[in-house]
Amino acid sequence: MRKFLVVLDDSRECLNAMRFAAMRAAHTGAGVTILSVIPPDEFNHWIGVGEVMREEARERIHAHFEVFAKWMRDRQNVDPELVIREGEPVPEILDYIEGDPEIGVLVLGAGTGRKGPGPLVTQLTKNSGTLPVPITIVPGDLSKEKLEAIT
């Protein structure tokens, strides 16, 4: 089965990427994998404090995932899987894609602010010609109705 890989982070545009991936998966009979990467700089503290922070980050990711997963199950009849990795986001995303041959498309949300589309979109599109899968970039300010119309 082909799967859409979508990145779960703290950005606003992540919501539209999640919606798009779930809607496309529902219309094409594909699956959705939600990948969240915990950056290493979050834990550069004393060992005990770092472990507590790591566990809190995982709990926060699981809570966000459950919100998205419930919507995907209830509205799109798609049951997503969650993958959590630790490291630098771009290398971890690329490593995951290389390791899962079922990933068919990487879905990213583009920010709408003055800073540009966001670090993931910026970094991953620089090397898009050599990626093993296509990237779909979903504008962060698309309405639900527009997303439904194009998926």
Side-chain angles (χ1 to χ4, degrees):
M1 174 176 62
R2 183 180 71 145
K3 296 188 286 188
F4 290 88
L5 177 64
V6 63
V7 177
L8 171 62
D9 59 21
D10 293 331
S11 67
R12 258 189 81 232
E13 56 271 14
C14 170
L15 175 60
N16 270 0
M18 292 285 173
R19 286 180 179 145
F20 180 88
M23 289 181 209
R24 287 298 304 145
H27 287 107
T28 62
V32 173
T33 297
I34 297 174
L35 174 64
S36 188
V37 181
I38 302 170
D41 56 315
E42 287 192 25
F43 310 116
N44 288 338
H45 301 283
W46 297 288
I47 293 172
V49 174
E51 287 301 319
V52 169
M53 291 177 72
R54 182 177 284 111
E55 188 55 37
E56 288 174 351
R58 287 182 173 276
E59 288 173 9
R60 187 174 64 248
I61 290 166
H62 278 281
H64 286 121
F65 169 77
E66 285 306 322
V67 170
F68 289 121
K70 180 175 179 8
W71 178 84
M72 288 182 186
R73 288 183 202 112
D74 294 350
R75 299 278 176 94
Q76 303 299 323
N77 201 27
V78 171
D79 191 17
E81 67 176 311
L82 174 64
V83 174
I84 300 174
R85 290 200 163 191
E86 293 182 23
E88 294 299 328
V90 171
E92 289 298 328
I93 292 166
L94 295 174
D95 185 61
Y96 187 79
I97 292 169
E98 290 288 340
D100 187 342
E102 292 184 338
I103 299 297
V105 178
L106 172 61
V107 180
L108 299 173
T112 58
R114 285 189 222 157
K115 293 183 180 179
L120 290 180
V121 172
T122 301
Q123 291 176 42
L124 287 164
T125 55
K126 285 181 183 176
N127 300 320
S128 60
T130 59
L131 293 177
V133 298
I135 300 176
T136 298
I137 300 173
V138 183
D141 62 357
L142 279 183
S143 68
K144 290 181 203 176
E145 296 76 23
K146 183 74 172 175
L147 276 172
E148 288 171 359
I150 62 176
T151 58

